């Protein structure tokens, strides 16, 4: 006698996993839907501008559409406006890139920023005295952004760093300082969303280890990152405090690991960084 299996006896099949959805910059604009004061067209233009990078200095409308998540029509209108105003252009009529006039935007920031204006001469004085490279950065989202920088010829890194450059906070000394002094709720939000990509074999790639490293930064008052961003690159950073006691920026020293031992960084250079941070903090009062 054959047994008939009832529907309820049939093993339920496991639901297939939904494909991962790649978040695009344009998707973030949905949060402002219904806000009458939010200029969506301006936001779209800024998204297009930020899509151009050192790795992708020129792109077609289609490529920009894919990268930003904006429609081709929206990208075309943004590029048309930017081209008319002299901020972008296309040499061959199809591949667009930014134009030198875009530098006026960054100049407007550095010229109007007390922090950036005050930091540059301090860094230049240290660089002239110590013959090393120094930088000042602030936190923007999950990245650090360079707002002042000096370099010496012997410091060579794979990434071309300059004012406006961005690097991930989790694997840089300046990022560790800025993360360590975040309000607890902000830090937890960051740790919940950050993707800890190994840049080298030394990069911290677990939240527990990163949390421990940040706790150590608060304990010692500085961050030392040894070849986690790039092999051969070692860096040291300290916080810059506003009069309110809030950490608003960070100063760092970077150099080749073989010629810059950890002990030297902690004993010879750390006092200079702390003095510079204190000096810069005075300008914020």
């Amino acid at each position: 006698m054959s047994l008939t299996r009832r529907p309820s006896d049939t093993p339920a099949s496991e639901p297939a996993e939904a494909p991962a959805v790649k978040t695009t910059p344009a998707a973030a604009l949905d949060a402002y839907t219904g806000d009458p004061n939010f200029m969506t067209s301006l936001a779209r233009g800024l998204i297009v501008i930020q899509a151009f990078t050192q790795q992708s200095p020129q792109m077609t409308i289609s490529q920009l559409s894919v990268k930003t998540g904006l429609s081709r029509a929206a990208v075309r209108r943004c590029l048309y406006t930017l081209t008319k105003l002299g901020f972008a252009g296309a040499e061959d009529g199809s591949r667009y890139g930014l134009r030198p006039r875009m530098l006026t935007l960054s100049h407007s920031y550095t010229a109007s920023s007390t922090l950036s204006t005050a930091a540059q001469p301090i860094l230049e004085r240290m660089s002239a005295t110590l013959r090393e490279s120094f930088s000042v950065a602030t936190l923007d989202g999950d990245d650090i952004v360079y707002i002042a920088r000096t370099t010496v010829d012997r410091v060579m890194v794979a990434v071309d760093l300059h004012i406006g450059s961005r690097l991930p906070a989790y694997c840089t000394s300046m990022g560790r300082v800025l993360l360590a002094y975040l309000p607890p709720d902000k830090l937890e939000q960051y740790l919940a969303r950050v993707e800890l990509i190994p840049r080298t074999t030394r990069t911290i790639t677990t939240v527990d280890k990163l949390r421990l490293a940040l706790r150590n930064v608060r304990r010692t008052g500085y961050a030392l990152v040894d070849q986690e961003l790039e092999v051969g690159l070692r860096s040291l950073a300290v916080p810059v405090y506003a009069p309110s006691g809030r950490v608003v920026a960070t100063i760092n020293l970077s150099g080749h690991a073989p010629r810059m031992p950890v002990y030297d960084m902690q004993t010879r250079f750390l006092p200079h960084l702390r003095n510079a941070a204190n000096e810069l903090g005075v300008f914020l009062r």
Side-chain angles (χ1 to χ4, degrees), residues 20-225:
V21 178
K22 183 178 180 181
T23 303
T24 62
L29 301 185
D30 293 340
Y32 303 98
T33 300
D35 186 343
N37 295 313
F38 186 78
M39 291 183 63
T40 303
S41 57
L42 174 59
R44 288 171 178 164
L46 293 173
I47 286 175
V48 169
I49 289 172
Q50 293 176 87
F52 292 99
T53 63
Q54 183 178 8
Q55 292 73 31
S56 303
Q58 293 184 331
M59 285 179 282
T60 64
I61 290 175
S62 296
Q63 289 171 331
L64 280 164
S65 178
V66 171
K67 188 171 184 179
T68 63
L70 297 170
S71 67
R72 289 168 54 93
V75 171
R76 185 179 294 106
R77 288 195 298 271
C78 290
L79 289 173
Y80 177 84
T81 303
L82 291 170
T83 300
K84 286 295 183 181
L85 295 177
F87 291 105
E91 295 294 343
D92 58 1
S94 62
R95 296 180 64 81
Y96 287 83
L98 300 180
R99 290 290 181 261
R101 190 173 185 183
M102 191 62 65
L103 294 173
T104 60
L105 300 181
S106 61
H107 175 71
S108 296
Y109 169 77
T110 55
S112 62
S113 169
T114 301
L115 187 59
S116 177
T117 302
Q120 196 62 41
I122 293 174
L123 299 188
E124 289 173 359
R125 187 178 68 245
M126 279 202 303
S127 193
T129 301
L130 301 172
R131 301 303 304 158
E132 300 294 346
S133 295
F134 298 93
S135 306
V136 172
T138 57
L139 191 64
D140 182 29
D142 294 348
D143 298 332
I144 60 168
V145 179
Y146 285 74
I147 64 170
R149 178 165 168 79
T150 60
T151 60
V152 293
D153 293 340
R154 65 186 178 190
V155 176
M156 300 294 292
V157 295
V159 182
D160 180 22
L161 298 176
H162 52 269
I163 294 175
S165 291
R166 304 175 69 92
L167 288 174
Y170 70 91
C171 60
T172 56
S173 62
M174 292 194 288
R176 296 262 176 93
V177 166
L178 295 168
L179 291 174
Y181 291 95
L182 281 176
D185 59 329
K186 298 291 185 183
L187 176 58
E188 290 307 314
Q189 291 172 16
Y190 170 83
L191 293 175
R193 70 174 179 268
V194 67
E195 184 179 2
L196 303 176
I197 300 172
R199 303 289 291 257
T200 74
T201 57
R202 293 172 175 257
T203 307
I204 288 178
T205 56
T206 68
V207 169
D208 286 343
K209 288 184 178 180
L210 179 57
R211 196 190 301 276
L212 180 62
L214 298 180
R215 192 178 303 131
N216 192 51
V217 171
R218 292 185 68 95
R219 180 179 62 82
T220 61
Y222 68 88
L224 197 156
V225 171

Side-chain angles (χ1 to χ4, degrees), residues 252-272:
N252 100 321
L253 156 75
S254 58
H256 283 308
R259 69 169 186 80
M260 191 173 285
V262 170
Y263 180 77
D264 281 0
M265 298 186 83
Q266 294 170 319
T267 57
R268 179 186 173 196
F269 295 108
L270 183 56
H272 289 281

Side-chain angles (χ1 to χ4, degrees), residues 220-257:
T220 61
Y222 68 88
L224 197 156
V225 171
D226 188 5
Q227 305 180 75
E228 292 189 45
L229 173 69
E230 179 182 326
V231 174
L233 181 65
R234 187 173 286 150
S235 63
L236 176 73
V238 299
V240 175
Y241 292 90
S244 63
R246 184 171 63 92
V247 172
V248 294
T250 173
I251 295 182
N252 100 321
L253 156 75
S254 58
H256 283 308

